[in-house]
Amino acid sequence: QVQLVESGGGLVQTGGSLRLSCGISGFSLYNYAIGWFRQAPGKEREGVACFSLFDGSMYYADSVKGRFAIGVERVGDNVYLQMNGLRPEDTAVYYCASETVSMVCSAMQAPDAARKFGHWGQGTQVTVSS
């Protein structure tokens, strides 16, 4: 059974950093793409970052390029989202998601990108104070 569990959210000041972790079980990272999404109150869920060991694809939203990094933890099958230079507009619930479809990361820009991912974690709150 595919399971994803996010952790690492919290409250941070503008300019600070947080490292989110997505603990995975029930599948191999070599067969699934992993995406990080976020949803702020009253807004649509948007794709933030994505990577796939399966087809080598990677994606970052323009709003986080140069500040966020996605990768695999050295220990355990966890995927992290390192967030630096945080801004108040980064405040949202962050979700990790997985999907087997090839090239799904290339679809992250689309408004309906979240619909392409079939497995989701419960989310973790990130709040950036000004």
Side-chain angles (χ1 to χ4, degrees), residues 56-118:
S57 58
M58 185 168 285
Y59 166 86
Y60 290 100
D62 288 342
S63 59
V64 306
K65 281 181 182 176
R67 299 189 298 125
F68 289 14
I70 187 172
V72 181
E73 299 282 8
R74 290 185 177 182
V75 179
D77 288 333
N78 291 344
V79 176
Y80 66 82
L81 182 69
Q82 177 67 42
M83 307 186 295
N84 301 323
L86 284 162
R87 306 165 180 168
E89 54 264 39
D90 294 319
T91 295
V93 178
Y94 283 70
Y95 301 87
C96 63
S98 66
E99 185 51 64
T100 59
V101 176
S102 178
M103 301 304 291
V104 70
C105 287
S106 63
M108 288 287 279
Q109 282 186 317
D112 65 343
R115 296 183 182 181
K116 295 179 170 57
F117 286 77

Side-chain angles (χ1 to χ4, degrees), residues 36-52:
W36 281 97
F37 292 79
R38 66 186 180 187
Q39 188 165 20
K43 294 189 176 181
E44 296 291 322
R45 191 167 298 189
E46 65 168 338
V48 174
C50 182
F51 88 101
S52 171

